[in-house]
Amino acid sequence: MQASGYMEQRHYLPTRQVHQHSYFQIVLPLKGALHLDIEGNALTLNTERGACIPPQMLHGFHADSSDQFLVLDLPASGRQAPQQLPLHTSFAIGPGARAFLDYLPSALRHQPDEQSRQHLGNLCLSLLADGDPAWLPTVLVRFYHCIHQQLDTPPKLETLARKLGLSARSLHRLCQQHWQRSPQQCWQYWRCQRAIAWLTQGVSVTETALHLGYQDTSNFSHFIRRETGHAPGHWQRRLELTQ
């Protein structure tokens, strides 16, 4: 797994800060916890969970100033980009990776040069990804996040494939290989999953439909029923049953 990014130990302030950057950023707690909100979704990182923040994704964060974190800033594309990244923003830190992270502060003090840090960063990524099916080829992780930024609009696959540095045929093959769906089917599936998430969180059918590009709620209802076998009201009732 080749990657050439910037890796360092960092401390964060207890007052909330907001960032947005053009690269992938992996945050790994060494001590304490980091409180993150990524586009409205709150999560807490600890020594058992890390985060992968995609490019251009607005995120806020705060932590106790005595807590410590290892941060890897990784290019999203090009020869120096990592081969694999976690699909979701939060991921588990396995025992092998945890033991390596506990060793890293000492290693960074004794090997401060850039080449050594790159080698340690590559090894860290390999241990994090080892045996975890949620870590996928970076180009598919980029595809996933690109699609989620435009769930209200059918993707122009030729344009998207070029942006990812692929042919449309290669993108189709990768999607079929990892998700058993075409790129278009992936968009429909993730669109449906987003709708279900909103409906079960109490967002109205009309508002959910508008967010996903439907001007007519009857067309939206037909889409949900076709994809899930249930009308939108079914998913709203699931919220009522949990309250």
Side-chain angles (χ1 to χ4, degrees), residues 20-191:
Q20 188 179 40
H21 35 65
S22 61
Y23 44 83
F24 280 98
Q25 185 176 78
I26 288 186
V27 183
L28 303 163
L30 298 173
K31 174 191 170 187
L34 179 68
H35 305 284
L36 267 174
D37 58 89
I38 302 176
E39 295 197 336
N41 297 313
L43 61 140
T44 299
L45 307 185
N46 53 39
T47 54
E48 296 181 348
R49 297 209 68 81
C52 180
I53 304 168
Q56 310 306 330
M57 191 164 284
L58 195 67
H59 55 284
F61 52 91
H62 67 278
D64 190 288
S65 56
S66 64
D67 292 344
Q68 300 174 21
F69 305 91
L70 184 75
V71 180
L72 292 86
D73 294 336
L74 303 167
S77 60
R79 294 177 60 187
Q80 296 181 328
Q83 291 180 8
Q84 286 182 291
L85 284 170
L87 183 64
H88 302 293
T89 51
S90 177
F91 59 88
I93 301 173
R98 182 70 263 162
F100 184 72
L101 289 173
D102 293 339
Y103 154 78
L104 263 180
S106 174
L108 291 173
R109 284 195 299 271
H110 292 93
Q111 302 181 61
D113 61 284
E114 184 177 343
Q115 186 174 2
S116 296
R117 285 175 177 251
Q118 181 179 337
H119 174 72
L120 291 169
N122 290 336
L123 184 53
C124 182
L125 290 173
S126 296
L127 289 169
L128 288 167
D130 186 32
D132 189 339
W135 285 64
L136 295 178
T138 296
V139 68
L140 280 183
V141 176
R142 293 176 60 207
F143 169 73
Y144 174 86
H145 290 296
C146 284
I147 289 294
H148 276 74
Q149 290 170 7
Q150 55 177 54
L151 287 173
D152 61 336
T153 307
K156 297 179 179 179
L157 295 180
E158 292 281 355
T159 302
L160 182 53
R162 281 197 301 271
K163 180 180 178 180
L164 297 172
L166 297 172
S167 66
R169 179 176 294 181
S170 294
L171 177 59
H172 189 280
R173 177 180 55 79
L174 283 170
C175 288
Q176 286 286 359
Q177 179 182 342
H178 289 276
W179 291 310
Q180 292 75 54
R181 292 182 172 92
S182 69
Q184 189 76 18
Q185 288 170 334
C186 286
W187 172 67
Q188 291 279 38
Y189 174 75
W190 292 330
R191 196 184 196 201

